[in-house]
Amino acid sequence: MKKALKMTLMVDGKEKTFTERFIPAAKILDALDLISADVNQPMANIITDRVNFLANVFTDEEVTEKLIWEGFNALDFDNQTFNLICEVAGVDPKNIPTEPVKE
């Protein structure tokens, strides 16, 4: 059985889960770029890019940037979106360094 990406949002006051069973492998690179976003970039830009990415990963026409903004709880928005992006990239979010990497 294929693995599926699931995102649960509040829609009209009720939780609704959207499922995506096929995500082109090319999306892995986009997800990795979002995971390693420049920490000096404004956070508003980072989360806007995350919402745009998720809206494009899900092929259900109901899933739009607006629905994602309105459907996630602000209190766990960052964790939820980041974890979904990590899932697309095949990366465990617990293994992501929180400090900038020195080159």
Side-chain angles (χ1 to χ4, degrees):
M1 182 170 183
K2 293 181 185 178
K3 188 175 179 180
L5 184 68
K6 295 183 180 196
M7 178 172 62
T8 302
L9 302 170
M10 290 296 289
V11 179
D12 297 325
K14 297 179 182 175
E15 285 188 349
K16 183 169 181 177
T17 300
F18 297 92
T19 303
E20 191 62 43
R21 297 194 185 287
F22 177 80
I23 300 169
K27 291 287 185 187
I28 294 170
L29 298 175
D30 296 334
L32 289 170
D33 284 344
L34 288 171
I35 290 168
S36 62
D38 182 359
V39 294
N40 295 320
Q41 188 178 168
M43 190 62 181
N45 292 356
I46 293 170
I47 61 174
T48 298
D49 289 345
R50 289 180 186 175
V51 169
N52 178 270
F53 174 81
L54 291 173
N56 287 306
V57 163
F58 284 86
T59 57
D60 186 319
E61 290 182 10
E62 190 175 357
V63 178
T64 63
E65 289 183 39
K66 181 178 179 181
L67 184 72
I68 293 170
W69 281 115
E70 294 176 357
F72 272 121
N73 184 334
L75 299 177
D76 64 352
F77 173 86
D78 191 46
N79 285 337
Q80 292 290 325
T81 56
F82 188 72
N83 287 340
L84 286 166
I85 293 165
C86 285
E87 196 170 339
V88 171
V91 174
D92 184 345
K94 296 175 190 160
N95 294 335
I96 306 281
T98 56
E99 296 296 319
V101 177
K102 295 181 182 177
E103 295 184 15

mmCIF file with all atom_site columns, all heavy atoms in Angstrom, residues 20-44:
data_model
loop_
_atom_site.group_PDB
_atom_site.id
_atom_site.type_symbol
_atom_site.label_atom_id
_atom_site.label_alt_id
_atom_site.label_comp_id
_atom_site.label_asym_id
_atom_site.label_entity_id
_atom_site.label_seq_id
_atom_site.pdbx_PDB_ins_code
_atom_site.Cartn_x
_atom_site.Cartn_y
_atom_site.Cartn_z
_atom_site.occupancy
_atom_site.B_iso_or_equiv
_atom_site.pdbx_formal_charge
_atom_site.auth_seq_id
_atom_site.auth_comp_id
_atom_site.auth_asym_id
_atom_site.auth_atom_id
_atom_site.pdbx_PDB_model_num
ATOM 1   N N   . GLU A 1 20 ? -3.233 13.131 -0.183 1.00 0.00 ? 20 GLU A N   1
ATOM 2   C CA  . GLU A 1 20 ? -2.547 13.131 -1.475 1.00 0.00 ? 20 GLU A CA  1
ATOM 3   C C   . GLU A 1 20 ? -1.732 11.849 -1.556 1.00 0.00 ? 20 GLU A C   1
ATOM 4   O O   . GLU A 1 20 ? -0.842 11.615 -0.741 1.00 0.00 ? 20 GLU A O   1
ATOM 5   C CB  . GLU A 1 20 ? -1.644 14.360 -1.606 1.00 0.00 ? 20 GLU A CB  1
ATOM 6   C CG  . GLU A 1 20 ? -1.101 14.580 -2.980 1.00 0.00 ? 20 GLU A CG  1
ATOM 7   C CD  . GLU A 1 20 ? -2.195 14.825 -4.015 1.00 0.00 ? 20 GLU A CD  1
ATOM 8   O OE1 . GLU A 1 20 ? -3.148 15.567 -3.743 1.00 0.00 ? 20 GLU A OE1 1
ATOM 9   O OE2 . GLU A 1 20 ? -2.066 14.270 -5.121 1.00 0.00 ? 20 GLU A OE2 1
ATOM 10  N N   . ARG A 1 21 ? -2.053 11.018 -2.537 1.00 0.00 ? 21 ARG A N   1
ATOM 11  C CA  . ARG A 1 21 ? -1.394 9.716  -2.664 1.00 0.00 ? 21 ARG A CA  1
ATOM 12  C C   . ARG A 1 21 ? -0.197 9.729  -3.612 1.00 0.00 ? 21 ARG A C   1
ATOM 13  O O   . ARG A 1 21 ? 0.651  8.860  -3.542 1.00 0.00 ? 21 ARG A O   1
ATOM 14  C CB  . ARG A 1 21 ? -2.396 8.669  -3.115 1.00 0.00 ? 21 ARG A CB  1
ATOM 15  C CG  . ARG A 1 21 ? -3.500 8.474  -2.111 1.00 0.00 ? 21 ARG A CG  1
ATOM 16  C CD  . ARG A 1 21 ? -4.309 7.237  -2.367 1.00 0.00 ? 21 ARG A CD  1
ATOM 17  N NE  . ARG A 1 21 ? -5.420 7.144  -1.450 1.00 0.00 ? 21 ARG A NE  1
ATOM 18  C CZ  . ARG A 1 21 ? -5.342 6.846  -0.166 1.00 0.00 ? 21 ARG A CZ  1
ATOM 19  N NH1 . ARG A 1 21 ? -4.172 6.606  0.363  1.00 0.00 ? 21 ARG A NH1 1
ATOM 20  N NH2 . ARG A 1 21 ? -6.409 6.780  0.595  1.00 0.00 ? 21 ARG A NH2 1
ATOM 21  N N   . PHE A 1 22 ? -0.135 10.714 -4.510 1.00 0.00 ? 22 PHE A N   1
ATOM 22  C CA  . PHE A 1 22 ? 1.009  10.795 -5.425 1.00 0.00 ? 22 PHE A CA  1
ATOM 23  C C   . PHE A 1 22 ? 1.567  12.207 -5.413 1.00 0.00 ? 22 PHE A C   1
ATOM 24  O O   . PHE A 1 22 ? 0.851  13.177 -5.678 1.00 0.00 ? 22 PHE A O   1
ATOM 25  C CB  . PHE A 1 22 ? 0.612  10.431 -6.862 1.00 0.00 ? 22 PHE A CB  1
ATOM 26  C CG  . PHE A 1 22 ? 1.776  10.580 -7.816 1.00 0.00 ? 22 PHE A CG  1
ATOM 27  C CD1 . PHE A 1 22 ? 2.741  9.591  -7.900 1.00 0.00 ? 22 PHE A CD1 1
ATOM 28  C CD2 . PHE A 1 22 ? 1.927  11.717 -8.588 1.00 0.00 ? 22 PHE A CD2 1
ATOM 29  C CE1 . PHE A 1 22 ? 3.830  9.735  -8.756 1.00 0.00 ? 22 PHE A CE1 1
ATOM 30  C CE2 . PHE A 1 22 ? 3.010  11.873 -9.444 1.00 0.00 ? 22 PHE A CE2 1
ATOM 31  C CZ  . PHE A 1 22 ? 3.960  10.870 -9.529 1.00 0.00 ? 22 PHE A CZ  1
ATOM 32  N N   . ILE A 1 23 ? 2.831  12.299 -5.108 1.00 0.00 ? 23 ILE A N   1
ATOM 33  C CA  . ILE A 1 23 ? 3.544  13.573 -5.136 1.00 0.00 ? 23 ILE A CA  1
ATOM 34  C C   . ILE A 1 23 ? 4.785  13.351 -6.003 1.00 0.00 ? 23 ILE A C   1
ATOM 35  O O   . ILE A 1 23 ? 5.593  12.470 -5.697 1.00 0.00 ? 23 ILE A O   1
ATOM 36  C CB  . ILE A 1 23 ? 3.955  14.026 -3.713 1.00 0.00 ? 23 ILE A CB  1
ATOM 37  C CG1 . ILE A 1 23 ? 2.700  14.181 -2.846 1.00 0.00 ? 23 ILE A CG1 1
ATOM 38  C CG2 . ILE A 1 23 ? 4.757  15.325 -3.766 1.00 0.00 ? 23 ILE A CG2 1
ATOM 39  C CD1 . ILE A 1 23 ? 2.989  14.360 -1.372 1.00 0.00 ? 23 ILE A CD1 1
ATOM 40  N N   . PRO A 1 24 ? 4.939  14.119 -7.082 1.00 0.00 ? 24 PRO A N   1
ATOM 41  C CA  . PRO A 1 24 ? 6.117  13.940 -7.932 1.00 0.00 ? 24 PRO A CA  1
ATOM 42  C C   . PRO A 1 24 ? 7.411  14.071 -7.121 1.00 0.00 ? 24 PRO A C   1
ATOM 43  O O   . PRO A 1 24 ? 7.526  14.943 -6.252 1.00 0.00 ? 24 PRO A O   1
ATOM 44  C CB  . PRO A 1 24 ? 6.001  15.067 -8.956 1.00 0.00 ? 24 PRO A CB  1
ATOM 45  C CG  . PRO A 1 24 ? 4.551  15.432 -8.963 1.00 0.00 ? 24 PRO A CG  1
ATOM 46  C CD  . PRO A 1 24 ? 4.068  15.196 -7.559 1.00 0.00 ? 24 PRO A CD  1
ATOM 47  N N   . ALA A 1 25 ? 8.364  13.210 -7.414 1.00 0.00 ? 25 ALA A N   1
ATOM 48  C CA  . ALA A 1 25 ? 9.630  13.202 -6.679 1.00 0.00 ? 25 ALA A CA  1
ATOM 49  C C   . ALA A 1 25 ? 10.346 14.554 -6.745 1.00 0.00 ? 25 ALA A C   1
ATOM 50  O O   . ALA A 1 25 ? 11.080 14.913 -5.821 1.00 0.00 ? 25 ALA A O   1
ATOM 51  C CB  . ALA A 1 25 ? 10.540 12.096 -7.200 1.00 0.00 ? 25 ALA A CB  1
ATOM 52  N N   . ALA A 1 26 ? 10.101 15.327 -7.785 1.00 0.00 ? 26 ALA A N   1
ATOM 53  C CA  . ALA A 1 26 ? 10.744 16.644 -7.908 1.00 0.00 ? 26 ALA A CA  1
ATOM 54  C C   . ALA A 1 26 ? 10.363 17.558 -6.747 1.00 0.00 ? 26 ALA A C   1
ATOM 55  O O   . ALA A 1 26 ? 11.114 18.486 -6.415 1.00 0.00 ? 26 ALA A O   1
ATOM 56  C CB  . ALA A 1 26 ? 10.358 17.293 -9.234 1.00 0.00 ? 26 ALA A CB  1
ATOM 57  N N   . LYS A 1 27 ? 9.230  17.304 -6.111 1.00 0.00 ? 27 LYS A N   1
ATOM 58  C CA  . LYS A 1 27 ? 8.800  18.124 -4.972 1.00 0.00 ? 27 LYS A CA  1
ATOM 59  C C   . LYS A 1 27 ? 9.740  17.950 -3.772 1.00 0.00 ? 27 LYS A C   1
ATOM 60  O O   . LYS A 1 27 ? 9.757  18.789 -2.879 1.00 0.00 ? 27 LYS A O   1
ATOM 61  C CB  . LYS A 1 27 ? 7.367  17.785 -4.557 1.00 0.00 ? 27 LYS A CB  1
ATOM 62  C CG  . LYS A 1 27 ? 6.326  18.211 -5.565 1.00 0.00 ? 27 LYS A CG  1
ATOM 63  C CD  . LYS A 1 27 ? 6.152  19.700 -5.544 1.00 0.00 ? 27 LYS A CD  1
ATOM 64  C CE  . LYS A 1 27 ? 5.028  20.135 -6.457 1.00 0.00 ? 27 LYS A CE  1
ATOM 65  N NZ  . LYS A 1 27 ? 4.932  21.558 -6.577 1.00 0.00 ? 27 LYS A NZ  1
ATOM 66  N N   . ILE A 1 28 ? 10.500 16.870 -3.752 1.00 0.00 ? 28 ILE A N   1
ATOM 67  C CA  . ILE A 1 28 ? 11.457 16.645 -2.659 1.00 0.00 ? 28 ILE A CA  1
ATOM 68  C C   . ILE A 1 28 ? 12.448 17.807 -2.599 1.00 0.00 ? 28 ILE A C   1
ATOM 69  O O   . ILE A 1 28 ? 12.740 18.320 -1.516 1.00 0.00 ? 28 ILE A O   1
ATOM 70  C CB  . ILE A 1 28 ? 12.203 15.305 -2.832 1.00 0.00 ? 28 ILE A CB  1
ATOM 71  C CG1 . ILE A 1 28 ? 11.228 14.134 -2.687 1.00 0.00 ? 28 ILE A CG1 1
ATOM 72  C CG2 . ILE A 1 28 ? 13.348 15.183 -1.831 1.00 0.00 ? 28 ILE A CG2 1
ATOM 73  C CD1 . ILE A 1 28 ? 11.831 12.789 -3.081 1.00 0.00 ? 28 ILE A CD1 1
ATOM 74  N N   . LEU A 1 29 ? 12.948 18.222 -3.749 1.00 0.00 ? 29 LEU A N   1
ATOM 75  C CA  . LEU A 1 29 ? 13.922 19.313 -3.777 1.00 0.00 ? 29 LEU A CA  1
ATOM 76  C C   . LEU A 1 29 ? 13.320 20.615 -3.269 1.00 0.00 ? 29 LEU A C   1
ATOM 77  O O   . LEU A 1 29 ? 13.961 21.355 -2.516 1.00 0.00 ? 29 LEU A O   1
ATOM 78  C CB  . LEU A 1 29 ? 14.473 19.491 -5.190 1.00 0.00 ? 29 LEU A CB  1
ATOM 79  C CG  . LEU A 1 29 ? 15.225 18.290 -5.762 1.00 0.00 ? 29 LEU A CG  1
ATOM 80  C CD1 . LEU A 1 29 ? 15.614 18.546 -7.209 1.00 0.00 ? 29 LEU A CD1 1
ATOM 81  C CD2 . LEU A 1 29 ? 16.432 17.955 -4.914 1.00 0.00 ? 29 LEU A CD2 1
ATOM 82  N N   . ASP A 1 30 ? 12.074 20.885 -3.672 1.00 0.00 ? 30 ASP A N   1
ATOM 83  C CA  . ASP A 1 30 ? 11.392 22.094 -3.185 1.00 0.00 ? 30 ASP A CA  1
ATOM 84  C C   . ASP A 1 30 ? 11.212 22.033 -1.671 1.00 0.00 ? 30 ASP A C   1
ATOM 85  O O   . ASP A 1 30 ? 11.398 23.021 -0.968 1.00 0.00 ? 30 ASP A O   1
ATOM 86  C CB  . ASP A 1 30 ? 10.026 22.254 -3.855 1.00 0.00 ? 30 ASP A CB  1
ATOM 87  C CG  . ASP A 1 30 ? 10.142 22.473 -5.358 1.00 0.00 ? 30 ASP A CG  1
ATOM 88  O OD1 . ASP A 1 30 ? 11.188 22.980 -5.816 1.00 0.00 ? 30 ASP A OD1 1
ATOM 89  O OD2 . ASP A 1 30 ? 9.180  22.132 -6.066 1.00 0.00 ? 30 ASP A OD2 1
ATOM 90  N N   . ALA A 1 31 ? 10.841 20.852 -1.178 1.00 0.00 ? 31 ALA A N   1
ATOM 91  C CA  . ALA A 1 31 ? 10.648 20.677 0.268  1.00 0.00 ? 31 ALA A CA  1
ATOM 92  C C   . ALA A 1 31 ? 11.958 20.883 1.013  1.00 0.00 ? 31 ALA A C   1
ATOM 93  O O   . ALA A 1 31 ? 11.998 21.552 2.054  1.00 0.00 ? 31 ALA A O   1
ATOM 94  C CB  . ALA A 1 31 ? 10.067 19.299 0.562  1.00 0.00 ? 31 ALA A CB  1
ATOM 95  N N   . LEU A 1 32 ? 13.038 20.343 0.491  1.00 0.00 ? 32 LEU A N   1
ATOM 96  C CA  . LEU A 1 32 ? 14.343 20.511 1.137  1.00 0.00 ? 32 LEU A CA  1
ATOM 97  C C   . LEU A 1 32 ? 14.755 21.982 1.172  1.00 0.00 ? 32 LEU A C   1
ATOM 98  O O   . LEU A 1 32 ? 15.316 22.453 2.162  1.00 0.00 ? 32 LEU A O   1
ATOM 99  C CB  . LEU A 1 32 ? 15.408 19.674 0.428  1.00 0.00 ? 32 LEU A CB  1
ATOM 100 C CG  . LEU A 1 32 ? 15.279 18.170 0.621  1.00 0.00 ? 32 LEU A CG  1
ATOM 101 C CD1 . LEU A 1 32 ? 16.231 17.426 -0.315 1.00 0.00 ? 32 LEU A CD1 1
ATOM 102 C CD2 . LEU A 1 32 ? 15.519 17.776 2.074  1.00 0.00 ? 32 LEU A CD2 1
ATOM 103 N N   . ASP A 1 33 ? 14.451 22.722 0.102  1.00 0.00 ? 33 ASP A N   1
ATOM 104 C CA  . ASP A 1 33 ? 14.739 24.161 0.099  1.00 0.00 ? 33 ASP A CA  1
ATOM 105 C C   . ASP A 1 33 ? 13.974 24.873 1.209  1.00 0.00 ? 33 ASP A C   1
ATOM 106 O O   . ASP A 1 33 ? 14.512 25.768 1.865  1.00 0.00 ? 33 ASP A O   1
ATOM 107 C CB  . ASP A 1 33 ? 14.369 24.791 -1.248 1.00 0.00 ? 33 ASP A CB  1
ATOM 108 C CG  . ASP A 1 33 ? 15.388 24.479 -2.335 1.00 0.00 ? 33 ASP A CG  1
ATOM 109 O OD1 . ASP A 1 33 ? 16.512 24.049 -2.013 1.00 0.00 ? 33 ASP A OD1 1
ATOM 110 O OD2 . ASP A 1 33 ? 15.039 24.672 -3.525 1.00 0.00 ? 33 ASP A OD2 1
ATOM 111 N N   . LEU A 1 34 ? 12.726 24.492 1.422  1.00 0.00 ? 34 LEU A N   1
ATOM 112 C CA  . LEU A 1 34 ? 11.919 25.118 2.476  1.00 0.00 ? 34 LEU A CA  1
ATOM 113 C C   . LEU A 1 34 ? 12.429 24.754 3.868  1.00 0.00 ? 34 LEU A C   1
ATOM 114 O O   . LEU A 1 34 ? 12.406 25.577 4.781  1.00 0.00 ? 34 LEU A O   1
ATOM 115 C CB  . LEU A 1 34 ? 10.455 24.718 2.344  1.00 0.00 ? 34 LEU A CB  1
ATOM 116 C CG  . LEU A 1 34 ? 9.722  25.340 1.170  1.00 0.00 ? 34 LEU A CG  1
ATOM 117 C CD1 . LEU A 1 34 ? 8.352  24.707 1.010  1.00 0.00 ? 34 LEU A CD1 1
ATOM 118 C CD2 . LEU A 1 34 ? 9.608  26.840 1.340  1.00 0.00 ? 34 LEU A CD2 1
ATOM 119 N N   . ILE A 1 35 ? 12.891 23.524 4.011  1.00 0.00 ? 35 ILE A N   1
ATOM 120 C CA  . ILE A 1 35 ? 13.408 23.076 5.310  1.00 0.00 ? 35 ILE A CA  1
ATOM 121 C C   . ILE A 1 35 ? 14.680 23.845 5.670  1.00 0.00 ? 35 ILE A C   1
ATOM 122 O O   . ILE A 1 35 ? 14.892 24.215 6.818  1.00 0.00 ? 35 ILE A O   1
ATOM 123 C CB  . ILE A 1 35 ? 13.675 21.552 5.289  1.00 0.00 ? 35 ILE A CB  1
ATOM 124 C CG1 . ILE A 1 35 ? 12.337 20.806 5.232  1.00 0.00 ? 35 ILE A CG1 1
ATOM 125 C CG2 . ILE A 1 35 ? 14.498 21.116 6.489  1.00 0.00 ? 35 ILE A CG2 1
ATOM 126 C CD1 . ILE A 1 35 ? 12.470 19.329 4.916  1.00 0.00 ? 35 ILE A CD1 1
ATOM 127 N N   . SER A 1 36 ? 15.496 24.105 4.672  1.00 0.00 ? 36 SER A N   1
ATOM 128 C CA  . SER A 1 36 ? 16.767 24.788 4.934  1.00 0.00 ? 36 SER A CA  1
ATOM 129 C C   . SER A 1 36 ? 16.691 26.282 4.621  1.00 0.00 ? 36 SER A C   1
ATOM 130 O O   . SER A 1 36 ? 17.701 26.899 4.303  1.00 0.00 ? 36 SER A O   1
ATOM 131 C CB  . SER A 1 36 ? 17.888 24.128 4.121  1.00 0.00 ? 36 SER A CB  1
ATOM 132 O OG  . SER A 1 36 ? 17.614 24.243 2.745  1.00 0.00 ? 36 SER A OG  1
ATOM 133 N N   . ALA A 1 37 ? 15.502 26.850 4.732  1.00 0.00 ? 37 ALA A N   1
ATOM 134 C CA  . ALA A 1 37 ? 15.319 28.274 4.440  1.00 0.00 ? 37 ALA A CA  1
ATOM 135 C C   . ALA A 1 37 ? 16.274 29.116 5.279  1.00 0.00 ? 37 ALA A C   1
ATOM 136 O O   . ALA A 1 37 ? 16.568 28.797 6.429  1.00 0.00 ? 37 ALA A O   1
ATOM 137 C CB  . ALA A 1 37 ? 13.878 28.692 4.708  1.00 0.00 ? 37 ALA A CB  1
ATOM 138 N N   . ASP A 1 38 ? 16.744 30.173 4.681  1.00 0.00 ? 38 ASP A N   1
ATOM 139 C CA  . ASP A 1 38 ? 17.669 31.101 5.326  1.00 0.00 ? 38 ASP A CA  1
ATOM 140 C C   . ASP A 1 38 ? 17.019 31.714 6.565  1.00 0.00 ? 38 ASP A C   1
ATOM 141 O O   . ASP A 1 38 ? 15.977 32.360 6.475  1.00 0.00 ? 38 ASP A O   1
ATOM 142 C CB  . ASP A 1 38 ? 18.046 32.195 4.331  1.00 0.00 ? 38 ASP A CB  1
ATOM 143 C CG  . ASP A 1 38 ? 19.046 33.197 4.874  1.00 0.00 ? 38 ASP A CG  1
ATOM 144 O OD1 . ASP A 1 38 ? 19.451 33.074 6.058  1.00 0.00 ? 38 ASP A OD1 1
ATOM 145 O OD2 . ASP A 1 38 ? 19.436 34.096 4.118  1.00 0.00 ? 38 ASP A OD2 1
ATOM 146 N N   . VAL A 1 39 ? 17.631 31.495 7.722  1.00 0.00 ? 39 VAL A N   1
ATOM 147 C CA  . VAL A 1 39 ? 17.068 32.011 8.970  1.00 0.00 ? 39 VAL A CA  1
ATOM 148 C C   . VAL A 1 39 ? 17.078 33.532 9.038  1.00 0.00 ? 39 VAL A C   1
ATOM 149 O O   . VAL A 1 39 ? 16.400 34.112 9.872  1.00 0.00 ? 39 VAL A O   1
ATOM 150 C CB  . VAL A 1 39 ? 17.785 31.420 10.217 1.00 0.00 ? 39 VAL A CB  1
ATOM 151 C CG1 . VAL A 1 39 ? 17.524 29.934 10.328 1.00 0.00 ? 39 VAL A CG1 1
ATOM 152 C CG2 . VAL A 1 39 ? 19.263 31.707 10.182 1.00 0.00 ? 39 VAL A CG2 1
ATOM 153 N N   . ASN A 1 40 ? 17.829 34.163 8.158  1.00 0.00 ? 40 ASN A N   1
ATOM 154 C CA  . ASN A 1 40 ? 17.852 35.623 8.121  1.00 0.00 ? 40 ASN A CA  1
ATOM 155 C C   . ASN A 1 40 ? 16.707 36.206 7.296  1.00 0.00 ? 40 ASN A C   1
ATOM 156 O O   . ASN A 1 40 ? 16.500 37.410 7.282  1.00 0.00 ? 40 ASN A O   1
ATOM 157 C CB  . ASN A 1 40 ? 19.192 36.120 7.570  1.00 0.00 ? 40 ASN A CB  1
ATOM 158 C CG  . ASN A 1 40 ? 20.333 35.744 8.494  1.00 0.00 ? 40 ASN A CG  1
ATOM 159 O OD1 . ASN A 1 40 ? 20.211 35.815 9.702  1.00 0.00 ? 40 ASN A OD1 1
ATOM 160 N ND2 . ASN A 1 40 ? 21.431 35.313 7.913  1.00 0.00 ? 40 ASN A ND2 1
ATOM 161 N N   . GLN A 1 41 ? 15.983 35.332 6.615  1.00 0.00 ? 41 GLN A N   1
ATOM 162 C CA  . GLN A 1 41 ? 14.832 35.741 5.822  1.00 0.00 ? 41 GLN A CA  1
ATOM 163 C C   . GLN A 1 41 ? 13.665 36.043 6.772  1.00 0.00 ? 41 GLN A C   1
ATOM 164 O O   . GLN A 1 41 ? 13.524 35.385 7.799  1.00 0.00 ? 41 GLN A O   1
ATOM 165 C CB  . GLN A 1 41 ? 14.468 34.575 4.881  1.00 0.00 ? 41 GLN A CB  1
ATOM 166 C CG  . GLN A 1 41 ? 13.452 34.879 3.876  1.00 0.00 ? 41 GLN A CG  1
ATOM 167 C CD  . GLN A 1 41 ? 13.172 33.706 2.955  1.00 0.00 ? 41 GLN A CD  1
ATOM 168 O OE1 . GLN A 1 41 ? 12.219 33.772 2.244  1.00 0.00 ? 41 GLN A OE1 1
ATOM 169 N NE2 . GLN A 1 41 ? 13.943 32.632 2.957  1.00 0.00 ? 41 GLN A NE2 1
ATOM 170 N N   . PRO A 1 42 ? 12.821 37.014 6.450  1.00 0.00 ? 42 PRO A N   1
ATOM 171 C CA  . PRO A 1 42 ? 11.671 37.279 7.324  1.00 0.00 ? 42 PRO A CA  1
ATOM 172 C C   . PRO A 1 42 ? 10.781 36.046 7.465  1.00 0.00 ? 42 PRO A C   1
ATOM 173 O O   . PRO A 1 42 ? 10.503 35.357 6.480  1.00 0.00 ? 42 PRO A O   1
ATOM 174 C CB  . PRO A 1 42 ? 10.929 38.411 6.600  1.00 0.00 ? 42 PRO A CB  1
ATOM 175 C CG  . PRO A 1 42 ? 11.945 39.039 5.710  1.00 0.00 ? 42 PRO A CG  1
ATOM 176 C CD  . PRO A 1 42 ? 12.892 37.935 5.323  1.00 0.00 ? 42 PRO A CD  1
ATOM 177 N N   . MET A 1 43 ? 10.359 35.764 8.697  1.00 0.00 ? 43 MET A N   1
ATOM 178 C CA  . MET A 1 43 ? 9.529  34.586 8.958  1.00 0.00 ? 43 MET A CA  1
ATOM 179 C C   . MET A 1 43 ? 8.253  34.614 8.124  1.00 0.00 ? 43 MET A C   1
ATOM 180 O O   . MET A 1 43 ? 7.770  33.570 7.693  1.00 0.00 ? 43 MET A O   1
ATOM 181 C CB  . MET A 1 43 ? 9.206  34.484 10.455 1.00 0.00 ? 43 MET A CB  1
ATOM 182 C CG  . MET A 1 43 ? 8.570  33.181 10.840 1.00 0.00 ? 43 MET A CG  1
ATOM 183 S SD  . MET A 1 43 ? 9.693  31.819 10.480 1.00 0.00 ? 43 MET A SD  1
ATOM 184 C CE  . MET A 1 43 ? 8.699  30.447 10.987 1.00 0.00 ? 43 MET A CE  1
ATOM 185 N N   . ALA A 1 44 ? 7.703  35.795 7.880  1.00 0.00 ? 44 ALA A N   1
ATOM 186 C CA  . ALA A 1 44 ? 6.490  35.892 7.064  1.00 0.00 ? 44 ALA A CA  1
ATOM 187 C C   . ALA A 1 44 ? 6.724  35.314 5.664  1.00 0.00 ? 44 ALA A C   1
ATOM 188 O O   . ALA A 1 44 ? 5.846  34.653 5.107  1.00 0.00 ? 44 ALA A O   1
ATOM 189 C CB  . ALA A 1 44 ? 6.018  37.340 6.975  1.00 0.00 ? 44 ALA A CB  1
#
